[in-house]
Amino acid sequence: MDTLGEIPGLPGLFVAGIFSAALSTVSSGLNSLAAICLEDFVKGIFYDKLSDEKATSISKFLAVGFGVISFLLVFVAEQLGGVLQAALSIFGMIGGPILGVFTLGLFFPWGNSKGAFVGTLTSFVFMFWLGFGTNIEIAKGNLVIPKLPVSVDGCPQANLTIQSFPKQGESGGVLEFYRVSYMWYSMIGCTVTILVGLFVSFLTKFQDPRELDPNLISPPIDRLVRFLFPEFRHKILWDLGRKVCLVYITSQKKENQTRTECIVCFALKFFRCETPKKR
């Protein structure tokens, strides 16, 4: 715009190109949200069988609804400060709990569905409180994030001590939580999900690792635990798929089949259990 802005028609083409690129991304996102909501919630919960005409109408209404919500979020984004801070804050508040629930399922065989649900919900609530609360306090002026001076104008060629510092705002209480950098939001959300998920899982009859398909747990973690804690792993029930393997072995003995022809070979290979010793 600064270089070629004097050419007639070029500024309009430039602005039209920016709006076209933005609208294409927004429209695809709204249509995707409407389609997912239609398939997972409308058809999956409320109406099993929908005609194509009704499904199209509902999808259009959903797209309009998500568009209105996105427009209202503009006023919220206005209070989030810089673009980088807003983007990383939102990614941390949403991505942290999602990363935590996947980590809980991949690395902790004791977690159950109730623990994963409560842990994810608790982490979402906590992170939204932390993220939006921080920006609200900044907008009120109660929380001031000082910026260090970067200008060297008028500075003598010697070391000196600055006697005055920028305003720090209020301190103490809940405001100390709000001073946490938005760069830590992902780690905090992930940690809260894992800790709350495990706590709720142990309170609501945790998943027995011996009844769990070992393919659902990360294989490197399973091998690492077996290598580092060969004796202690039995105390924490880290015998993934042990009961399932014993069921296959028992059925093999009853049917008098050879080991190479029985499905127990599949169990021993993929469930990584130990063959019971003969007495």
Side-chain angles (χ1 to χ4, degrees):
M1 294 292 291
D2 294 336
T3 304
L4 304 176
E6 298 179 355
I7 300 177
L10 189 61
L13 291 176
F14 180 76
V15 174
I18 293 177
F19 275 96
S20 298
L23 290 176
S24 64
T25 304
V26 172
S27 63
S28 61
L30 294 178
N31 291 330
S32 300
L33 286 173
I36 292 174
C37 186
L38 176 66
E39 293 294 332
D40 292 346
F41 295 99
V42 178
K43 290 184 178 181
I45 299 178
F46 300 104
Y47 303 100
D48 295 336
K49 298 180 181 179
L50 276 179
S51 62
D52 293 339
E53 183 179 357
K54 291 183 178 180
T56 303
S57 301
I58 294 175
S59 178
K60 291 179 180 178
F61 281 112
L62 289 173
V64 172
F66 284 120
V68 172
I69 295 174
S70 300
F71 176 75
L72 295 178
L73 288 176
V74 172
F75 301 99
V76 179
E78 183 182 4
Q79 307 297 328
L80 295 180
V83 177
L84 179 62
Q85 179 178 352
L88 293 180
S89 297
I90 295 174
F91 289 156
M93 289 186 292
I94 298 177
I98 295 177
L99 175 62
V101 71
F102 275 92
T103 305
L104 178 64
L106 285 172
F107 299 147
F108 301 92
W110 309 278
N112 56 20
S113 58
K114 295 180 181 178
F117 176 77
V118 176
T120 306
L121 183 61
T122 304
S123 182
F124 270 124
V125 173
F126 178 77
M127 294 310 302
F128 274 93
W129 167 77
L130 180 62
F132 287 109
T134 300
N135 289 278
I136 291 174
E137 295 298 330
I138 292 176
K140 290 181 178 180
N142 296 331
L143 183 63
V144 178
I145 302 177
K147 296 182 179 180
L148 299 178
V150 295
S151 177
V152 294
D153 295 338
C155 293
Q157 296 181 355
N159 294 330
L160 52 88
T161 303
I162 300 178
Q163 299 297 333
S164 61
F165 294 91
K167 181 182 178 181
Q168 298 292 331
E170 298 182 6
S171 61
V174 181
L175 290 177
E176 297 302 322
F177 287 97
Y178 293 153
R179 295 186 184 277
V180 176
S181 174
Y182 59 88
M183 303 293 290
W184 292 96
Y185 283 2
S186 296
M187 190 201 72
I188 295 174
C190 179
T191 305
V192 171
T193 303
I194 294 174
L195 294 179
V196 176
L198 288 176
F199 180 74
V200 175
S201 297
F202 281 104
L203 289 180
T204 58
K205 191 178 180 181
F206 63 90
Q207 170 71 44
D208 190 349
R210 297 172 298 179
E211 299 178 354
L212 186 66
D213 185 352
N215 293 318
L216 301 177
I217 303 298
S218 176
I221 296 298
D222 184 25
R223 298 190 187 98
L224 183 64
V225 172
R226 291 173 178 272
F227 176 76
L228 295 179
F229 312 102
E231 300 297 334
F232 181 73
R233 67 183 181 88
H234 298 290
K235 297 181 181 179
I236 59 176
L237 305 180
W238 196 284
D239 291 318
L240 303 183
R242 179 67 175 175
K243 288 187 177 181
V244 180
C245 294
L246 292 178
V247 170
Y248 283 127
I249 293 173
T250 304
S251 62
Q252 178 215 19
K253 290 183 178 180
K254 290 182 179 180
E255 297 174 3
N256 295 323
Q257 295 177 349
T258 60
R259 180 173 298 275
T260 56
E261 296 176 354
C262 182
I263 197 172
V264 71
C265 297
F266 174 85
L268 291 172
K269 179 179 179 181
F270 290 94
F271 288 97
R272 300 187 293 274
C273 65
E274 301 173 356
T275 306
K277 297 180 181 180
K278 296 182 180 180
R279 295 184 178 178

